[in-house]
Amino acid sequence: LAALKEFVTTAKPIAALTGTQTGGIAPETVALSNVKTAQGWEVDTDQAALHQQIVSYQKEYNVDIQTAIVALGV
């Protein structure tokens, strides 16, 4: 226990774990026209639209993804 306490008081923080990638700002919904894919791949527009509905529901009702999926009957 003493060794752990000493480590915790002297350990340097890991920069990648001190914040979020977006600086705490939620990423905006990506328009399908802005989605880039590898050559030979394509975006399933129906699935992308469904994903956007799920994300919108999550934001509006402040729920997790599973709750949004169930609520939307997916």
Side-chain angles (χ1 to χ4, degrees), residues 32 34-44:
L32 289 179
N34 294 335
V35 174
K36 304 283 188 255
T37 60
Q39 186 174 357
W41 292 72
E42 52 187 62
V43 174
D44 182 331

Side-chain angles (χ1 to χ4, degrees), residues 1-11:
L1 185 58
L4 177 59
K5 286 181 180 179
E6 180 182 346
F7 171 76
V8 170
T9 59
T10 61

Side-chain angles (χ1 to χ4, degrees), residues 27 29 50-60 65 68 72:
T29 303
L50 180 59
H51 174 74
Q52 287 181 338
Q53 287 177 338
I54 293 167
V55 170
S56 293
Y57 188 95
Q58 278 184 276
K59 288 180 182 179
E60 183 176 349
I65 191 166
L72 292 170

Side-chain angles (χ1 to χ4, degrees), residues 14-49:
I14 299 171
L17 302 177
T18 60
T20 63
Q21 292 180 349
T22 62
I25 300 169
E28 297 298 321
T29 303
V30 177
L32 289 179
S33 60
N34 294 335
V35 174
K36 304 283 188 255
T37 60
Q39 186 174 357
W41 292 72
E42 52 187 62
V43 174
D44 182 331
T45 54
D46 292 337
Q47 288 296 313

Side-chain angles (χ1 to χ4, degrees), residues 57-59 61-65 67-68:
Y57 188 95
Q58 278 184 276
K59 288 180 182 179
Y61 296 100
N62 195 28
V63 296
D64 61 78
I65 191 166
T67 302

